[in-house]
């Protein structure tokens, strides 16, 4: 396989690929869900996503880039080459066809699906889990996934008729976090709740009409146990059968005059409340550090 002047291993096909090059055409089809499902592959766009994908061994199948972007991100091209990932130069027009953003950054990777079975994810003993129950908006889903990763969650579960986690907008909104956590897809949300409880996690359902206040739970130390948070769609919330199956129905307190929080903000508040409780060191006699034992 020939090498570029900067040490990149380039595809043997001469010249930059165009929008009509078969490999570009095949990759572009991954913008459609049915093609992602049939091939088990998806697209990750931009240097940040490519960097995180390459860091997860065996994930990247091919890297496309314009000559300028491959020079600008020569470290990523070299990392791909060391992993025997084909690095294919493409024209600006071909890159624009592969990208779904208005101003693409010159790199697109074809990646393998990352799905982890629910049983396998729970067997790893995660202490914090986020469940996206029938959330349809890919931007919201990707943002919650990113927040869950930042808060230290081990798994993010897309349950029921949820958005495809490999949707381009969801992948971009996750800002690379898609490659950091166990991504689980499960058809039956109620069965997910049962599995979570069997694995020893407390299951908390978020709802504006919850009978438990988040601050009260935190003050009572009830967030210090391994916890799974259920988040529903911004438009419809959680299905009633899920709120009924949870251990508690939790509302985020609103101290001002706002009517509500959007999904991503509410998820951040809840996940970070758990993250703080889970990381707070225990003091003598079971009290947390800094609290009086008397």
């Amino acid at each position: 396989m020939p090498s570029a002047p900067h040490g990149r291993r380039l595809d043997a096909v001469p010249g930059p690929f165009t929008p009509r090059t078969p490999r570009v055409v095949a990759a572009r089809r991954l913008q459609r869900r049915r093609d992602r499902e049939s091939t088990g592959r998806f697209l990750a766009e931009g240097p940040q996503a490519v960097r995180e994908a390459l860091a997860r061994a065996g994930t990247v199948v091919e890297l496309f880039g314009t000559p300028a972007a491959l020079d600008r991100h020569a470290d990523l091209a070299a990392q791909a080459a060391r992993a025997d990932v084909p690095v294919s130069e493409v024209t600006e027009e071909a890159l624009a066809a592969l990208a779904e953003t208005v101003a693409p950054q010159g790199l697109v990777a074809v990646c393998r699906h990352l799905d982890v079975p629910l049983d396998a994810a729970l067997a790893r003993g995660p202490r914090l889990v986020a469940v996206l129950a029938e959330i349809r908006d890919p931007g919201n889903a990707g943002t919650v996934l990113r927040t869950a990763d930042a808060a230290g969650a081990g798994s993010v579960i897309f349950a029921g008729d949820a958005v495809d986690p490999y949707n381009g907008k969801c992948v971009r909104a996750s800002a690379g976090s898609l490659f950091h956590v166990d991504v689980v897809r499960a058809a039956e949300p109620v069965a997910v709740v049962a599995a979570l409880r069997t694995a020893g996690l407390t299951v908390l359902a978020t709802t504006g009409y919850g009978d438990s206040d988040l601050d009260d739970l935190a003050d009572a130390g009830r967030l210090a146990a391994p916890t799974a948070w259920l988040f529903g769609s911004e438009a419809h919330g959680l299905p009633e059968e899920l709120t009924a199956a949870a251990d508690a129905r939790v509302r985020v307190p609103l101290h001002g005059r706002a009517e509500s929080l959007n999904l991503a903000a509410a998820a951040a508040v809840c996940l970070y409340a758990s993250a703080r409780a889970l990381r707070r060191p225990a003091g003598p006699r079971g009290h947390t550090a800094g609290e009086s034992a008397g």
Side-chain angles (χ1 to χ4, degrees):
M1 185 175 291
S3 296
H6 299 286
R8 296 193 302 271
R9 293 182 64 188
L10 298 177
D11 192 271
V13 178
F17 291 173
T18 72
R20 296 188 177 186
T21 301
R23 295 230 312 255
V24 174
V25 173
R28 189 180 183 185
R29 292 195 186 106
L30 299 177
Q31 294 171 354
R32 300 182 300 206
R33 183 168 187 166
R34 67 174 180 269
D35 287 284
R36 293 194 295 270
E37 295 292 348
S38 66
T39 62
R41 297 181 178 185
F42 68 101
L43 299 178
E45 178 183 341
Q48 174 63 19
V50 169
R51 181 174 289 106
E52 301 306 325
L54 286 169
R56 187 161 174 162
T59 297
V60 179
V61 175
E62 183 166 10
L63 177 61
F64 295 101
T66 63
L70 291 172
D71 283 338
R72 188 164 56 250
H73 303 288
D75 59 324
L76 298 181
Q79 185 178 348
R82 287 194 299 272
D84 289 326
V85 172
V87 179
S88 301
E89 285 191 350
V90 296
T91 63
E92 294 284 352
E93 293 77 15
L95 195 286
L98 291 169
E100 295 182 88
T101 54
V102 175
Q105 299 178 62
L107 296 178
V108 174
V110 176
C111 303
R112 294 184 176 89
H113 280 188
L114 308 167
D115 294 1
V116 175
L118 178 60
D119 289 349
L122 295 181
R124 296 176 186 175
R127 302 185 71 207
L128 185 59
V129 173
V131 181
L132 310 185
E134 301 188 356
I135 292 176
R136 306 287 184 84
D137 182 85
N140 269 337
T143 300
V144 175
L145 196 161
R146 179 181 184 181
T147 301
D149 175 29
S155 301
V156 176
I157 302 172
F158 289 71
D161 191 17
V163 67
D164 176 13
Y166 307 114
N167 172 288
K169 188 173 182 180
C170 185
V171 175
R172 292 192 299 276
S174 80
S177 288
L178 177 72
F179 303 101
H180 299 164
V181 301
D182 285 342
V183 175
V184 177
R185 291 195 282 178
E188 298 295 337
V190 174
V192 168
V193 172
L196 290 166
R197 297 180 75 180
T198 298
L201 286 96
T202 299
V203 179
L204 302 178
T206 56
T207 169
Y209 304 100
D211 46 16
S212 298
D213 181 282
L214 178 65
D215 287 347
D216 291 343
L217 290 180
D219 292 344
R222 292 179 61 188
L223 299 181
T227 299
W229 284 97
L230 306 181
F231 303 110
S233 74
E234 198 160 301
H236 305 293
L238 284 167
E240 192 171 324
E241 63 269 21
L242 281 187
T243 59
D247 294 297
R249 288 142 293 283
V250 184
R251 67 183 183 277
V252 176
L254 300 174
H255 303 298
R257 297 172 61 186
E259 180 185 5
S260 63
L261 291 175
N262 66 23
L263 169 62
V269 172
C270 294
L271 289 166
Y272 267 89
S274 281
R276 182 175 186 270
L278 289 167
R279 284 161 176 74
R280 196 170 186 180
R285 302 180 189 176
H287 290 270
T288 54
E291 289 182 343
S292 170

